Amino acid sequence: MKKKSVVQNAVMKHINEHSSLYVFITVLFLMGVIFGAILVNSLSFTQKEDLFYYLSQFFGQVSKGEFASSHDMFSQSIMHNIKYIGVIWILGISVIGLPVILVLLFIKGMVVGFTVGFLVNQMGWGGFLLSFVAILPQNIFIVPIFIVITVLAVSLSMKMISRIFLKQVREPLKPIISRYIFSLVLSGLFLITAAVFEAYLSPSLMKNVVSLLGH
């Protein structure tokens, strides 16, 4: 119980210290989502038709249960998200990577927004239901992890800039780096959970929804 209390206190302290950064990063991500959804409307009729054709082909495979194996989907999900998180993490140490970190998070939000926006634009409520079962389950874990890692990367980058260029040294660098490495390991565990959802839960939910929409 005491250990749980210590963890809760550490989490609350972290959130309080970085509250303004969390607000900024979350708003930036949401702006990416909104921009991605708006981007759908800028596509020409032909582009939408082409995309929807490929989407229909995919749905045809889904309805027949012709997915890639769950193991392959799990591996692909892990590799994709770990690489993306890893790049943000490394940029946090690099000092000069601060603007790139923000761009990467914005792009992540934009991809989510575009995917959901396109499905809803083309299929109405059916598209919303499909995005709910295909995109939401894994992103319940992925999006918070991306936001937390981005906050930590931006925070570390700002501290490094203060040390190098402004000559401001407030706390030893070693414990900061140790916590930063631990955050990457912990993120990996959450991303594994997200990959389990994406590989083993989402396909069956998608199949049910596609079958439902087909009727």
Side-chain angles (χ1 to χ4, degrees), residues 32-52:
V33 172
I34 293 167
F35 183 77
I38 292 171
L39 200 61
V40 173
N41 295 321
S42 69
L43 294 175
S44 68
F45 177 77
T46 306
Q47 288 172 322
K48 286 182 181 179
E49 285 292 298
D50 288 344
L51 279 173
F52 191 67

Side-chain angles (χ1 to χ4, degrees), residues 59-124:
F59 290 155
Q61 292 178 332
V62 168
S63 63
K64 296 174 186 175
E66 296 175 358
F67 290 103
S69 71
S70 295
H71 176 73
D72 289 342
M73 290 175 69
F74 178 81
S75 301
Q76 287 170 12
S77 175
I78 286 288
M79 290 304 296
H80 171 73
N81 288 313
I82 286 290
K83 283 178 183 176
Y84 212 102
I85 286 284
V87 169
I88 292 175
W89 190 87
I90 291 168
L91 287 170
I93 302 174
S94 71
V95 181
I96 58 171
L98 182 57
V100 184
I101 293 169
L102 300 178
V103 170
L104 286 173
L105 184 78
F106 184 83
I107 291 172
K108 179 66 178 175
M110 194 174 73
V111 169
V112 173
F114 182 85
T115 307
V116 175
F118 183 75
L119 286 171
V120 173
N121 182 274
Q122 293 295 305
M123 302 174 65

Side-chain angles (χ1 to χ4, degrees), residues 127-211:
F128 178 78
L129 183 61
L130 195 61
S131 63
F132 187 81
V133 299
I135 299 165
L136 182 65
Q138 60 269 25
N139 278 297
I140 289 174
F141 296 93
I142 293 171
V143 170
I145 287 299
F146 269 83
I147 289 173
V148 170
I149 285 292
T150 302
V151 166
L152 292 172
V154 169
S155 176
L156 180 61
S157 189
M158 289 168 68
K159 285 174 183 174
M160 300 281 276
I161 289 169
S162 295
R163 279 174 170 269
I164 296 169
F165 299 106
L166 305 178
K167 306 299 181 184
Q168 295 178 358
V169 181
R170 294 182 181 177
E171 56 182 310
L173 198 58
K174 189 176 178 180
I176 296 174
I177 298 295
S178 298
R179 290 195 297 269
Y180 195 55
I181 293 170
F182 176 72
S183 71
L184 183 65
V185 174
L186 195 61
S187 297
L189 296 177
F190 277 98
L191 291 177
I192 288 171
T193 305
V196 169
F197 273 78
E198 189 170 354
Y200 297 97
L201 177 65
S202 289
S204 58
L205 290 174
M206 284 175 65
K207 186 177 179 180
N208 291 335
V209 170
V210 170
S211 299

